[in-house]
Amino acid sequence: MSTEAHAAEGATGYIIHHLTPLHFGEGFWTLHLDTLFFSAVLGGLFVWFFKTAADKATAGVPGLVQNFAEMLIEFVDTQVKDSFHGHSKLIAPLALTIFCWVFLWNFMDLFPVDIFPLIGSLMGLDYLRVVPSTDLNATFAMSISVFFLIIFYSIKIKGPWGFAKELMFQPFGPWLLPFNLLLKLVEEIAKPISLALRLFGNLYAGELIFILIALLPWYLQPVLSFPWAIFHILIITLQAFIFMVLTIVYLSMAHEDH
C-alpha cells in the first residue's frame, strides 16, 4: 500500500486492515482462509524439502540440502534424547515437524508487511494475513493437537485407572480428592493454553511492530525495520524451539508410569 493510501486510510484503518484475516462464514464456523492456505503451503514446503533431501541422500559427500536436513534432524534428535524419557517412534518426527512448521509460520513475518496484501488486492482480495502464528486459531489448533496426544499417551501408558488415580490422588493423597482433581485439571488445561498464547503473543507483537514501522516516513523505515528484522529472527527461532521442547516435555510426562 502506498504512502497516499496510508494517508487516505489513516493509521488506525491501516493497522486494522493488516490485522484482519481473509475469512468466510460467521460466528464459531468462521474460517480464516489465509491462515489455512499459508499453513498448507508451508506444510507442503516442509514435506517437499525433506523428501527431496531423502531422495538425494548419499553415503558419499553430501550436498547442501542433505547437510542442512541432517543438521536439523540431529538438532531435534538431541533435544528428544535430552528431554524425552519414554519409548516412542512418534516423538522425534513430531518434534521435527512442529519445529520446522512453526518456524516457517513465523518466518513469514520477515516479509515486508505490504507485499502480500498488495498482491492480494490485485487478485481482488480485501484482506490477506500471511503469518499463521499471529492467528490465535492456528496456534490453538496446534496446541490442542498436542494436548490430545498428551491425553492419549497418558491413558495408553498408565491405563485408564492409572490416569484417573493420577488425577484424583496426586499430589495430596485420597483425602483431598476434590482439591487434587481441581489442581490437575488446571495443570492439564494450562498446557495447551500456554503453548498457544505464548506463540501467538510474541508473533502478534512482532507483526504489529513491523506495521507501525511501515507507517513511519519512508526514510525512517529501513533504519528501523532492518535491526528489528535481525532481532526478530532470534524471536521466531526461539518460539519454534520453545513450542517443540515443551511438546517433548509434556509427552515425556505423559509416558511416566507411576
Side-chain angles (χ1 to χ4, degrees):
M1 189 174 294
S2 65
T3 305
E4 292 78 7
H6 289 178
E9 189 176 43
T12 302
Y14 178 76
I15 294 172
I16 292 175
H17 181 271
H18 277 66
L19 295 180
T20 303
L22 178 66
H23 57 277
F24 174 80
E26 297 181 359
F28 179 79
W29 300 107
T30 301
L31 297 177
H32 290 183
L33 302 179
D34 42 14
T35 298
L36 293 171
F37 173 77
F38 285 105
S39 295
V41 169
L42 295 173
L45 179 63
F46 161 74
V47 173
W48 170 82
F49 175 79
F50 278 93
K51 184 179 186 305
T52 301
D55 291 341
K56 296 182 178 180
T58 175
V61 179
L64 182 62
V65 172
Q66 183 178 342
N67 268 329
F68 186 67
E70 290 178 353
M71 181 183 68
L72 284 174
I73 292 172
E74 290 175 5
F75 167 73
V76 172
D77 189 55
T78 299
Q79 305 306 317
V80 172
K81 289 178 179 177
D82 291 343
S83 305
F84 185 75
H85 306 298
H87 300 281
S88 175
K89 296 180 179 179
L90 172 70
I91 304 304
L94 175 67
L96 178 66
T97 301
I98 286 177
F99 177 76
C100 293
W101 203 11
V102 172
F103 176 82
L104 290 173
W105 281 6
N106 299 347
F107 187 83
M108 297 297 291
D109 207 15
L110 296 178
F111 287 96
V113 295
D114 290 324
I115 291 294
F116 286 102
L118 177 60
I119 295 174
S121 66
L122 295 176
M123 299 172 60
L125 303 177
D126 294 330
Y127 303 101
L128 189 64
R129 291 183 68 181
V130 302
V131 188
S133 42
T134 61
D135 187 347
L136 196 54
N137 295 277
T139 59
F140 259 112
M142 181 80 78
S143 65
I144 290 173
S145 300
V146 172
F147 178 68
F148 285 153
L149 287 175
I150 293 171
I151 301 301
F152 171 78
Y153 279 108
S154 295
I155 296 174
K156 178 181 178 181
I157 300 299
K158 302 164 188 176
W161 177 236
F163 181 52
K165 286 194 297 182
E166 185 178 84
L167 293 177
M168 294 185 294
F169 302 148
Q170 292 183 12
F172 300 116
W175 300 109
L176 292 174
L177 188 151
F179 190 61
N180 292 334
L181 186 59
L182 178 62
L183 284 179
K184 291 296 291 184
L185 288 177
V186 170
E187 177 185 338
E188 295 301 321
I189 293 174
K191 292 175 181 177
I193 293 177
S194 62
L195 280 175
L197 292 182
R198 181 185 295 106
L199 178 60
F200 165 76
N202 281 277
L203 270 295
Y204 188 90
E207 182 187 35
L208 186 57
I209 291 175
F210 277 123
I211 293 173
L212 293 175
I213 291 174
L215 286 168
L216 296 174
W218 65 268
Y219 51 84
L220 290 178
Q221 292 179 16
V223 177
L224 296 176
S225 61
F226 182 73
W228 176 245
I230 297 298
F231 177 71
H232 203 54
I233 293 174
L234 173 64
I235 295 176
I236 66 176
T237 306
L238 184 62
Q239 290 305 312
F241 175 76
I242 290 174
F243 203 108
M244 175 192 70
V245 169
L246 288 179
T247 298
I248 297 170
V249 170
Y250 292 155
L251 289 174
S252 178
M253 293 168 62
H255 280 72
E256 293 177 357
D257 187 2
H258 303 288

